[in-house]
Amino acid sequence: MLINISNHPSSQWPLEQLQAARDNYEVVVDIPFPQINPTSTSEQIDSLVEEYRDRIVNQKTKPIALVQGESIFTYRLICELKKCGIVCIAARSSRRVVESLDENKNPKRESIYIFEGFLEY
């Protein structure tokens, strides 16, 4: 089981990423990444980390956790999960930038991310 803790629900992943997740981990479960207020205290972030750690650790099947998002929460959650024996991974991608003009002839820049695989933290 792969638990996806990110701002990118698996229903919106590219087909290649979803297929790789299913091939390697069978089931993908989404847990939305929390909204982290930039003024949050260390204690508030730690409280969220404990809540998420407990949700993940208490799964019936020992999961793999894909954790990507706000860096302080992500780092602390990964540290806690690893202490509990949970493998944590990230999705890797390459970025292709496409530059064009919009309908008003203003420059427009779009980034296209291409899934390149999963890698353990």
Side-chain angles (χ1 to χ4, degrees):
M1 172 195 309
L2 175 66
I3 296 183
N4 169 36
I5 306 123
S6 74
N7 291 310
H8 304 282
S10 60
S11 62
Q12 296 176 5
W13 287 357
L15 182 58
E16 298 82 12
Q17 183 174 352
L18 189 56
Q19 191 60 52
R22 288 181 176 154
D23 289 348
N24 290 296
Y25 311 109
E26 295 182 21
V27 176
V28 179
V29 175
D30 293 312
I31 297 179
F33 200 90
Q35 292 293 321
I36 307 293
N37 187 321
T39 63
S40 293
T41 65
S42 193
E43 293 79 16
Q44 290 169 322
I45 293 172
D46 285 343
S47 179
L48 267 177
V49 166
E50 289 174 16
E51 176 188 327
Y52 274 67
R53 179 203 58 212
D54 292 347
R55 283 177 73 182
I56 295 161
V57 169
N58 291 326
Q59 296 292 316
K60 292 179 183 176
T61 305
K62 188 174 182 178
I64 305 293
L66 184 146
V67 186
Q68 291 183 269
E70 190 275 336
S71 58
I72 295 168
F73 176 86
T74 295
Y75 174 78
R76 291 180 183 184
L77 180 59
I78 290 167
C79 288
E80 285 298 309
L81 291 174
K82 288 178 85 116
K83 285 181 196 173
C84 298
I86 304 293
V87 172
C88 298
I89 64 172
R92 300 187 297 170
S93 61
S94 57
R95 182 175 71 167
R96 196 174 101 223
V97 177
V98 177
E99 295 182 2
S100 61
L101 299 175
D102 68 14
E103 61 278 352
N104 297 320
K105 306 282 189 227
N106 295 314
K108 181 172 103 174
R109 187 175 231 192
E110 181 181 6
S111 294
I112 299 170
Y113 293 91
I114 301 163
F115 175 70
E116 299 288 350
F118 297 109
L119 189 62
E120 186 174 341
Y121 280 102

